[in-house]
Amino acid sequence: MEPPSYPMYDRTPSGRYKDSVSRDSLESENGSGDYVKYTVTIPPTPDVQPMDVECRLEPWFINKALFTGGFHRETRSSFREKMIESKTSKAADANERFFCAMPGCDEKFMIDRNGRELIPCACDFKVCKDCYVDLVKAGDDTYCPGCKEPYKEIDLHNKAVSTYKPLLSLPSNVQTLPKDENSLTLAEQPSKELVRTDTGIGDFDHAKWLFETKGTYGFGNAICTEGNEVALKPTDFVGKPWRPLTRKARIPPAVISPYRFLVFARFVTLALYLTWRIRHPNYDAMWLWAISVCCELWFAFSWCLDQFPRLNPVSRVTDLDLLQEKFDTPPADGTKGGSDLPGVDIFVSTADPEKEPPLVTANTILSILAVDYPVEKLACYVSDDGGSLLTFEAIAEAATFAKMWVPFCRKHEIEPRNPEAYFSLKSDPLKGKVEKDFVKERRRMKREYDEFKVRINGLSDSIRRRSEAYNANEDLKTLRKRKEQTTDELLEPFQKQKATWMVDKTHWPGTWMNPAPDHAKGDHDGIIQVMLTPPDAPPLVESNPGESDIPFNFDGVNTLLPLLVYVSREKRYGYDHNKKAGAMNALVRASAILSNGPFVLNLDCDHYIHNSQAIREGMCFMIDHGGDRICYVQFPQRFEGIDPSDRYANHNTVFFDINMRAWDGLQGPAYVGTGCLFRRTALYGFDPPLPKDHPGVIESLCCCFYPHGRKIINNKTHPENEHQTLRKNDSCSSPSDTETINIHYDHLLARFGKSQVLMDSIEIAEKEGRPLVDDPKISKDQKPRPSPTPRPPLTSNKVTEAITVISCWYEEKTDWGKHIGWIYGSVTEDVVTGYSMHNRGWRSVYCVTKQDAFRGTAPINLTDRLHQVLRWATGSVEIFFSKNNPLFASSKMKLLQRLAYLNVSIYPFTSIFLILYCLLPALSLISAQFIVQFLNVEFLVYLLLISLTLCLLALLEIKWSKITLAEWWRNEQFWLIGGTSAHLAAVIQGLLKVVAGIDISFKLTSKSMADSDQDEFAEMYVIKWTSLMIPPIVIIMLNCVAIAVGFSRTVYSAIPEWPKLIGGVFFSMWVLAHLYPFLKGLMGKRGKTPTIVFIWSGLISITISLLWVTISPPLGMEANGSRFTFP
C-alpha cells in the first residue's frame, strides 16, 4: 500500500492556515502565480498506520460457523447464518496536547524561560505566543476561545520565550552554589545536555540524568538561585518513571529474626537428640528401638526439606492506580484510543459434564467475560475434552446471557461477577450503590438469571428429547425408503446408530449419548466454534445498541464482549492424548493462531474470577521493570462451600499462605494447576532473556535447545533453509548496530510442528510480551505508544489452521509436552511444568490480593478428598522416578528452590515411616516395652525442647502468614490422615508403574453444586467405602486396643510400670487426636450413627484386653496368686 499523502497549505506569520486552499485563491491573495500544488509523502510509523480497507471486508460470520476436522479428514465448516460487517478505526494523535489549541495552528503553547507552561485562562485552553498576541490585539474585551470568558492577564506574551530557543541544560550555577550544613546539591554535573525532547518545552530531564549518570538526590535537597527565585520546583524531583508497579513487603524483623533463630535451634536440638538416641539403644527391645530411630531420622530429614525453604518469606503489593495512569488512561486531549495493556488469553478446561456441571462452567465463563480488562485485549477459550453437546450448548447459552450480564456488571460495578456467587451473597447488595435504577435492574437481572439456570438445567433433557425425535424421524424415512425399494411385505429388522442432534437439525460431530464410531469420548473430530467474535480495537461503541431483546438501559456503558471460542481437540483410538496437559497444549496452539495474546491465564472450570481486577494485579508484575524474566504469576487458591470447621483441611491455608509465600522469597512459587498467569514465550520453552537484553525469540530458542552454545548455521551451508533473520535488539537504529543470526528454520518447524502460521506468531507474542516500562517513551513520562502490531481480524482461514493444530497427530515428532507447553509424563503436570521453567532460569511470583482473585470448589466428602490427595501424591512419586527429579536440576535453579521441589517429590515416601511410627505406641503398650530403655531426664528434656520449638515456630508462622491456629491444627491432622492412607497407595502405584509398567488412572474430582433443598454440607456426611480407609482404621483399632491392654496389664501387675504406660498412652492419644476427623467422617452425620456401634466397640475393646491379660499375664501375678480368671 502506498503511504498517505497530505497537501501543504499556505500559513500566516502567526501560524494559522489560510481558509482558502485552492490555487486560484492563493494567486488572488498573494498576487503571484508562482505557487505550485505539491504533496509530501509521509511513511507509515508505529503511531500512524494506514488502514487496509480490504482486510476489513472479511466476512464476520465466524461466530455462525462450526469448524470440524481431524486426521486424514478434510476441514469442514457448516454455516447457519452469514453476516458482513465493515468497521473502521479512528486514529488519534497523542502528541496533540503539546500544541496550540487554536484551529489550524501547529505551534507549541507558551512557556517561560524556566520551561513552565503559561496558560492565560483557568479553563486550561493553551495557545501559542502568536495566537495570544493576535487575540490581545483585538481590544480590551479579549475573550478566551475555550470558555468565552475575558482574559485576566493580557501581558503574558512578554514573559513567554520562543519555542525554538535552544534547550535548557542543567543550571550552570549548581556547582557554584554555597555549600553549608543545611544545603545539598546534585552529585555531579552531567557532561552533556539532558533535556526532555518529547514535550518540546526544554525543561531538565531529571529521570534521564539519574539513569545515565547514576546520580542521586540527597534527603531534603533543594536547588536555589541567588535571591528568592526558585529555579526548579521540588515536584520536579519526584518523577513518575521510576515509580514501580510492584513492591516487595518483607516480614518485620521482630517476627522473622526469632523465626530463623528457632529454626536453627530446633535443627541443633534434633541433631543432639538423634545422636543421643543412637548412642543409647534399648537392649530390651532392639527391634522397637531400631524402628523408632529410623523413623525419627527420616522425619528430621523431611522437616529440613520442608523448613529450610521457609527462611525468606515475602509479600508483594501492586499499584493498580499507577497501572491505570500509565497504561490505561485515555489521552488528555479527549480523543479515543485503545489501551496499552497487552493481550491475555484465558483457558478454561473441562472434561466431563456429569462431574463438572455445565452451570458451574457457565458461571466461570461469565465471570471471565465481565472481568475489568480492555475487552479488545481479552479472549476466552473453553476446552471441552469430552466433546459433549451439553457443554457446547451451555456455553452458547452463557454467551447469550453475557450480553445482559456483562454490561450490568460494568454499569453497577458488581463484585463478584459470577452471577451464582453474587446472588448468593449474604451481605447487603445495596451498600455503596447510588444509581436510582439499581434495585429495579438487579431484581430484573435476578429473574433473568433464574431463567438462565432453568435453561441450563434442562439442556440434558432437551438434547435427549430432540435426539429421540430426530432419530425416530430418520428411522421412519429409512423404513419408507426400504419399502419403496422392495416388494417384500416382511422386511428384515435393521440397526441404525442413534445420533445426537444439534438445534439446527445436524449431527453433533463430537461425543454422542449413544457412543458410535467417530462419535465416542476417545474418538471424535476436532471442533472449534467462535461463540463471540472479537471487537475492534479501540472500542468505539459505548452506548446501548438498541437491541429489543435486552430489557436494560445501558446508555453510556461499553456493551462489547471479548472473544469466546469453544474448542474440543480431536481424539482417536491408539493415541496418547495426555489428559489435561494435552488439552492445554492444544489451546496454546489454537489461541496462538486466533488471538495470540502474549499472556495466558488458565483456570479450572470451577474456579471463577472473584476479583474483577485480578488480571491487572498479575499484569503489574509482568510489565514492570524486570518482568521479562518472570515466567508466571501464581495466585492462591481459595474455596467456597467448605464446612465451617474445615474438617479435612480443604482450604489448605498452610500450603498457600506459608509454603508459597516462602517460595516467593526464593526463585518463585510452584505452579499449582489453576489461577496462574503465564508468559506465552515461557510456555514455548525459551530461556529467560539476559538483563537489559531482548534477543530475538528464535535466538533464545537456539540457546534453549543447544545449552552448550548457540548453533549458528551459515548461509553458505544451508542457503535453502534461511527463511528468516531476526534482529537481536529492536532498539538498534542503524544497520551497523543490528546483529542478525541465521537459523535452521526447518529444525524449528520440526519442534513446533508444521504450521507456518504458528511459527509466525511466536515472534509477535515475544515482542508484545516485553515489559511496557522498558518502552523509551515511558522513561520520558509519556503515555506509551499503542501496540505496533494490532490484533489481526479473525478469518475462516485462521480457524481452519486452528483445526489443524488441535488434531491428534500434530504433536508427533515435536517437542510439545517435552520442552514446549505443559509437560507430559505425570498426573500432576502442573508441578512438572513449573519445575521445567524454573530449571531454565525463569522466576515466578506469588500474588496475594486483598480480595480473593479466584475462588473455586473443593471436595468435602472424605472419599473424594482422599482420591484427590492420592492423585497429587502419585504425581509426586512419578516426578521422583523421572528425569524431572530435582536432584538432577540444572545450575540455574537455586539451592533452596531445589530443596523445595525435592520435598514436593519425596513427601509421599514419608507415609512408610509414618505408619510404622503410628503403630509404635500400640506395639509398645502390647509388648510392655518402650522406645527408650529408661524415661530419664535427658530424654524428657530433648522431647520438651523439640515440642516447644515446634509450637513456637507454628505461632510465628501463624503471625507472619495471618492464618488461624485452627487452620494450622487441621492441616496437621489431615497430614497424618493422608500420610497413612493416600500417600502409601501413591507410593505403591508409583513403584508399580516404574517396575511393572502398570499405568495409573485417577478419579476426576467431582465439582457438583449443593442442592438448595437439602443441607448445604450433606455430601460431607455421605460414606463411600474405599480401600484407602483400611490403614487408618487399623491404626485406630490397634491403638484403642493397646491402650486397654496396657491399662489392664499395669493395673493387674504386682509391680506396675506406670512411666511406660504413661509414655505409651501419651503417644497413642497423639495418634488418635490426629485421626479424629477421619473417625468422625466414618460416623456420618451427627445423630445418625447407631448407639449399638459404640456399645459393641466398648465391649470388643474390654474383651480383647481381658483376653490378652489372661493369655499373657503381667510379671508377678502368678507368684502372688493374683492371676485373673474369668467367672
Side-chain angles (χ1 to χ4, degrees):
M1 177 177 292
E2 297 181 357
S5 302
Y6 301 94
M8 299 297 296
Y9 304 135
D10 187 27
R11 295 194 304 173
T12 64
S14 62
R16 297 191 185 91
Y17 289 105
K18 292 289 186 70
D19 294 333
S20 57
V21 295
S22 64
R23 179 184 178 91
D24 297 336
S25 63
L26 290 175
E27 292 181 355
S28 62
E29 183 175 354
N30 295 279
S32 173
D34 297 331
Y35 288 90
V36 179
K37 188 175 182 180
Y38 64 98
T39 59
V40 176
T41 301
I42 301 178
T45 64
D47 294 330
V48 180
Q49 291 286 340
M51 182 184 65
D52 190 355
V53 180
E54 296 181 359
C55 70
R56 293 290 185 176
L57 297 179
E58 173 70 25
W60 290 86
F61 51 79
I62 303 298
N63 63 328
K64 301 297 182 180
L66 182 69
F67 290 81
T68 61
F71 183 54
H72 287 169
R73 300 171 187 272
E74 61 181 13
T75 302
R76 300 179 180 180
S77 61
S78 57
F79 304 99
R80 298 189 297 273
E81 181 181 355
K82 294 184 179 180
M83 182 173 59
I84 298 178
E85 295 182 0
S86 177
K87 300 182 180 179
T88 58
S89 60
K90 297 182 179 180
D93 187 4
N95 294 326
E96 201 174 60
R97 61 181 181 272
F98 303 117
F99 294 88
C100 175
M102 294 294 292
C105 181
D106 60 350
E107 290 291 328
K108 304 293 180 61
F109 51 75
M110 292 188 293
I111 60 173
D112 60 9
R113 65 184 62 185
N114 293 323
R116 292 190 292 263
E117 300 177 2
L118 293 178
I119 304 176
C121 184
C123 69
D124 201 24
F125 188 86
K126 303 175 182 179
V127 295
C128 64
K129 183 177 180 180
D130 294 337
C131 293
Y132 180 76
V133 171
D134 293 344
L135 292 172
V136 171
K137 288 181 179 179
D140 295 336
D141 297 335
T142 303
Y143 292 92
C144 172
C147 62
K148 307 303 180 183
E149 294 291 333
Y151 279 141
K152 296 182 180 180
E153 297 186 52
I154 58 175
D155 58 347
L156 288 180
H157 59 282
N158 297 327
K159 301 179 181 180
V161 297
S162 175
T163 56
Y164 298 100
K165 182 179 178 180
L167 299 176
L168 298 177
S169 61
L170 189 67
S172 59
N173 58 350
V174 171
Q175 294 183 349
T176 61
L177 288 175
K179 298 182 179 181
D180 52 19
E181 297 178 356
N182 298 323
S183 66
L184 298 174
T185 60
L186 295 178
E188 62 181 13
Q189 172 76 14
S191 58
K192 59 181 180 179
E193 293 183 346
L194 297 171
V195 293
R196 291 183 179 179
T197 59
D198 55 329
T199 61
I201 300 175
D203 55 342
F204 179 72
D205 193 348
H206 301 276
K208 190 174 182 181
W209 182 87
L210 285 173
F211 179 77
E212 295 189 1
T213 64
K214 308 299 181 182
T216 57
Y217 289 121
F219 180 79
N221 288 348
I223 297 182
C224 303
T225 59
E226 295 182 0
N228 297 326
E229 184 180 1
V230 179
L232 297 174
K233 295 181 179 180
T235 55
D236 293 334
F237 293 95
V238 184
K240 297 178 183 178
W242 54 85
R243 286 175 59 191
L245 296 174
T246 63
R247 62 183 178 88
K248 185 184 297 184
R250 296 188 178 274
I251 309 300
V255 177
I256 194 62
S257 296
Y259 178 76
R260 292 171 178 169
F261 172 77
L262 286 175
V263 171
F264 175 76
R266 193 166 194 267
F267 176 77
V268 174
T269 304
L270 284 174
L272 296 176
Y273 168 74
L274 293 174
T275 303
W276 181 87
R277 289 277 285 123
I278 295 174
R279 292 180 176 179
H280 296 78
N282 185 1
Y283 296 103
D284 296 335
M286 289 295 295
W287 60 274
L288 196 64
W289 170 84
I291 293 176
S292 64
V293 169
C294 291
C295 293
E296 290 169 356
L297 285 172
W298 179 266
F299 293 153
F301 171 70
S302 179
W303 177 84
C304 292
L305 293 181
D306 183 60
Q307 195 66 53
F308 286 164
R310 298 184 184 182
L311 293 176
N312 188 33
V314 297
S315 299
R316 300 183 187 272
V317 182
T318 59
D319 193 342
L320 293 180
D321 295 334
L322 183 60
L323 180 75
Q324 177 80 15
E325 176 186 347
K326 282 191 173 184
F327 307 114
D328 204 20
T329 302
D333 55 1
T335 59
K336 295 182 179 180
S339 171
D340 295 306
L341 293 174
V344 179
D345 294 339
I346 304 179
F347 297 166
V348 180
S349 59
T350 181
D352 190 350
E354 295 181 0
K355 296 183 178 179
E356 299 169 333
L359 184 58
V360 176
T361 305
N363 276 283
T364 300
I365 294 173
L366 290 172
S367 69
I368 294 173
L369 298 179
V371 73
D372 184 10
Y373 202 77
V375 64
E376 71 278 5
K377 303 295 183 68
L378 200 65
C380 178
Y381 295 84
V382 183
S383 171
D384 180 16
D385 221 26
S388 172
L389 180 59
L390 178 59
T391 304
F392 177 86
E393 295 194 358
I395 298 173
E397 289 285 352
T400 303
F401 181 71
K403 297 177 181 179
M404 295 183 292
W405 173 253
V406 174
F408 172 76
C409 294
R410 293 171 180 168
K411 178 179 180 180
H412 299 291
E413 298 181 355
I414 299 299
E415 292 289 345
R417 299 189 177 182
N418 177 331
E420 182 69 26
Y422 172 70
F423 291 117
S424 301
L425 290 176
K426 298 181 180 179
S427 58
D428 184 11
L430 304 180
K431 185 177 181 180
K433 304 302 180 184
V434 296
E435 294 83 356
K436 296 181 180 179
D437 57 347
F438 172 71
V439 176
K440 178 181 177 181
E441 292 191 352
R442 184 183 184 277
R443 189 181 301 114
R444 181 59 184 269
M445 184 58 68
K446 180 63 169 62
R447 184 164 61 251
E448 294 287 346
Y449 177 65
D450 290 340
E451 296 176 357
F452 168 74
K453 287 173 47 176
V454 172
R455 293 195 300 270
I456 295 291
N457 295 331
L459 281 179
S460 180
D461 292 338
S462 176
I463 294 173
R464 179 181 54 81
R465 290 194 301 268
R466 180 202 313 151
S467 300
E468 290 177 354
Y470 288 161
N471 287 327
N473 189 23
E474 289 294 319
D475 293 343
L476 184 60
K477 290 181 180 180
T478 303
L479 183 61
R480 290 175 180 176
K481 187 175 180 179
R482 293 184 62 189
K483 287 183 177 180
E484 294 175 357
Q485 295 176 353
T486 181
T487 58
D488 296 339
E489 296 182 359
L490 297 177
L491 298 177
E492 297 180 359
F494 65 95
Q495 294 290 336
K496 189 175 182 180
Q497 294 291 344
K498 302 298 182 181
T500 300
W501 293 76
M502 301 177 66
V503 179
D504 58 349
K505 299 181 180 181
T506 59
H507 286 181
W508 168 243
T511 303
W512 289 355
M513 292 185 297
N514 298 316
D518 296 336
H519 295 284
K521 277 191 175 182
D523 182 22
H524 60 79
D525 291 343
I527 308 171
I528 290 182
Q529 170 71 64
V530 180
M531 299 289 186
L532 296 174
T533 54
D536 280 353
L540 302 178
V541 180
E542 296 184 356
S543 60
N544 191 4
E547 299 181 7
S548 58
D549 57 340
I550 299 181
F552 297 92
N553 181 19
F554 291 145
D555 292 337
V557 180
N558 185 4
T559 58
L560 298 179
L561 298 177
L563 172 67
L564 176 61
V565 183
Y566 170 89
V567 179
S568 180
R569 58 177 174 150
E570 182 192 13
K571 285 189 173 182
R572 299 298 174 194
Y573 294 133
Y575 285 87
D576 186 4
H577 302 293
N578 297 294
K579 302 181 177 67
K580 179 182 176 181
M584 300 305 294
N585 285 338
L587 287 185
V588 171
R589 296 189 296 269
S591 63
I593 294 175
L594 299 180
S595 58
N596 197 28
F599 298 98
V600 172
L601 173 66
N602 87 291
L603 297 172
D604 288 342
C605 65
D606 64 323
H607 270 73
Y608 69 91
I609 299 180
H610 186 262
N611 183 355
S612 62
Q613 293 189 333
I615 300 180
R616 293 178 178 266
E617 297 260 8
M619 204 57 65
C620 288
F621 297 98
M622 289 295 193
I623 65 178
D624 202 2
H625 283 296
D628 54 351
R629 297 184 61 82
I630 296 177
C631 56
Y632 61 82
V633 178
Q634 178 64 61
F635 294 85
Q637 293 185 17
R638 307 301 185 195
F639 302 100
E640 294 178 336
I642 307 299
D643 58 297
S645 62
D646 193 13
R647 178 184 295 178
Y648 306 124
N650 287 282
H651 287 297
N652 211 359
T653 53
V654 171
F655 176 77
F656 288 112
D657 291 330
I658 295 181
N659 289 22
M660 297 291 274
R661 286 177 186 265
W663 285 34
D664 197 14
L666 306 177
Q667 201 171 340
Y671 168 44
V672 294
T674 183
C676 188
L677 181 65
F678 283 98
R679 185 179 300 275
R680 185 180 285 270
T681 51
L683 285 173
Y684 285 157
F686 299 156
D687 286 338
L690 299 176
K692 301 181 182 180
D693 181 27
H694 293 284
V697 292
I698 306 299
E699 181 185 6
S700 299
L701 187 61
C702 294
C703 299
C704 176
F705 292 140
Y706 305 106
H708 300 291
R710 297 191 182 100
K711 287 193 174 182
I712 302 177
I713 301 176
N714 197 329
N715 284 335
K716 299 179 181 179
T717 308
H718 301 278
E720 70 280 3
N721 295 329
E722 304 311 319
H723 299 161
Q724 182 179 3
T725 57
L726 302 175
R727 291 184 299 176
K728 181 178 181 180
N729 196 327
D730 289 341
S731 62
C732 298
S733 57
S734 63
S736 61
D737 295 334
T738 304
E739 178 183 349
T740 59
I741 61 172
N742 299 321
I743 59 172
H744 199 313
Y745 202 68
D746 290 343
H747 180 68
L748 299 180
L749 284 175
R751 293 189 177 276
F752 281 89
K754 303 296 183 180
S755 175
Q756 182 68 36
V757 180
L758 177 61
M759 285 297 302
D760 294 340
S761 68
I762 297 175
E763 179 73 11
I764 299 175
E766 191 274 337
K767 289 183 178 180
E768 294 186 355
R770 296 177 184 176
L772 293 180
V773 292
D774 293 338
D775 191 284
K777 292 186 177 181
I778 296 293
S779 61
K780 297 177 182 177
D781 199 16
Q782 290 186 9
K783 190 177 185 293
R785 60 178 173 82
S787 175
T789 54
R791 175 184 293 178
L794 190 62
T795 63
S796 56
N797 291 334
K798 287 189 174 181
V799 181
T800 303
E801 185 70 17
I803 286 288
T804 303
V805 299
I806 66 171
S807 59
C808 59
W809 56 267
Y810 187 83
E811 294 183 355
E812 289 186 349
K813 298 180 181 180
T814 65
D815 275 354
W816 287 99
K818 301 175 184 176
H819 305 287
I820 303 174
W822 271 257
I823 307 301
Y824 302 152
S826 174
V827 295
T828 54
E829 70 287 333
D830 45 5
V831 178
V832 180
T833 302
Y835 166 81
S836 64
M837 295 181 183
H838 287 147
N839 199 31
R840 291 195 298 267
W842 288 95
R843 293 190 303 110
S844 60
V845 170
Y846 195 56
C847 180
V848 181
T849 57
K850 293 182 179 179
Q851 181 183 356
D852 294 343
F854 309 99
R855 282 190 180 180
T857 59
I860 60 176
N861 183 266
L862 176 60
T863 304
D864 294 338
R865 176 70 165 139
L866 291 178
H867 279 288
Q868 184 186 55
V869 175
L870 172 63
R871 180 166 62 89
W872 295 344
T874 303
S876 297
V877 176
E878 291 176 337
I879 294 173
F880 182 80
F881 289 109
S882 69
K883 62 180 181 179
N884 296 312
N885 191 314
L887 294 174
F888 311 125
S890 67
S891 58
K892 297 180 180 179
M893 182 176 291
K894 297 181 180 179
L895 176 61
L896 291 181
Q897 187 80 13
R898 186 176 307 193
L899 291 181
Y901 273 114
L902 183 61
N903 182 50
V904 169
S905 64
I906 212 172
Y907 78 90
F909 296 95
T910 306
S911 61
I912 301 175
F913 303 93
L914 186 60
I915 291 177
L916 292 176
Y917 207 72
C918 290
L919 293 175
L920 283 180
L923 298 177
S924 176
L925 289 172
I926 293 175
S927 62
Q929 300 293 333
F930 197 54
I931 57 176
V932 293
Q933 192 167 7
F934 302 103
L935 289 177
N936 52 15
V937 177
E938 194 172 3
F939 172 76
L940 296 177
V941 169
Y942 279 129
L943 191 62
L944 178 63
L945 289 177
I946 292 174
S947 303
L948 182 62
T949 52
L950 177 64
C951 295
L952 293 177
L953 282 173
L955 292 177
L956 291 177
E957 287 177 347
I958 291 172
K959 178 69 176 178
W960 60 257
S961 64
K962 299 179 181 179
I963 66 174
T964 63
L965 182 61
E967 291 174 335
W968 181 87
W969 172 240
R970 287 300 185 197
N971 181 81
E972 291 295 313
Q973 287 180 316
F974 198 79
W975 170 78
L976 193 142
I977 294 173
T980 56
S981 57
H983 294 176
L984 178 62
V987 173
I988 297 174
Q989 288 186 358
L991 292 175
L992 289 176
K993 182 178 181 180
V994 173
V995 177
I998 300 176
D999 196 9
I1000 302 170
S1001 61
F1002 62 91
K1003 182 180 178 182
L1004 185 64
T1005 305
S1006 299
K1007 302 174 178 65
S1008 59
M1009 300 181 65
D1011 192 353
S1012 58
D1013 297 335
Q1014 61 181 1
D1015 187 0
E1016 183 180 1
F1017 309 114
E1019 186 182 357
M1020 182 177 64
Y1021 307 115
V1022 178
I1023 302 176
K1024 306 175 185 178
W1025 174 255
T1026 175
S1027 58
L1028 298 178
M1029 297 179 178
I1030 295 178
I1033 291 176
V1034 171
I1035 292 175
I1036 292 174
M1037 293 182 62
L1038 286 179
N1039 278 275
C1040 291
V1041 170
I1043 291 175
V1045 170
F1047 183 77
S1048 301
R1049 180 191 299 276
T1050 305
V1051 169
Y1052 288 102
S1053 177
I1055 308 176
E1057 297 182 354
W1058 293 103
K1060 292 184 178 181
L1061 175 65
I1062 294 174
V1065 170
F1066 173 79
F1067 284 108
S1068 292
M1069 295 303 297
W1070 176 85
V1071 172
L1072 294 177
H1074 280 76
L1075 292 174
Y1076 173 73
F1078 176 84
L1079 184 61
K1080 194 173 181 180
L1082 292 180
M1083 294 180 180
K1085 194 173 182 178
R1086 182 182 302 173
K1088 298 295 183 180
T1089 305
T1091 307
I1092 193 65
V1093 174
F1094 300 99
I1095 296 176
W1096 275 106
S1097 300
L1099 291 176
I1100 291 174
S1101 298
I1102 295 174
T1103 303
I1104 294 176
S1105 61
L1106 294 178
L1107 182 61
W1108 183 269
V1109 172
T1110 303
I1111 297 174
S1112 179
L1115 296 177
M1117 287 186 61
E1118 295 183 359
N1120 298 332
S1122 58
R1123 179 179 176 83
F1124 176 81
T1125 57
F1126 285 100

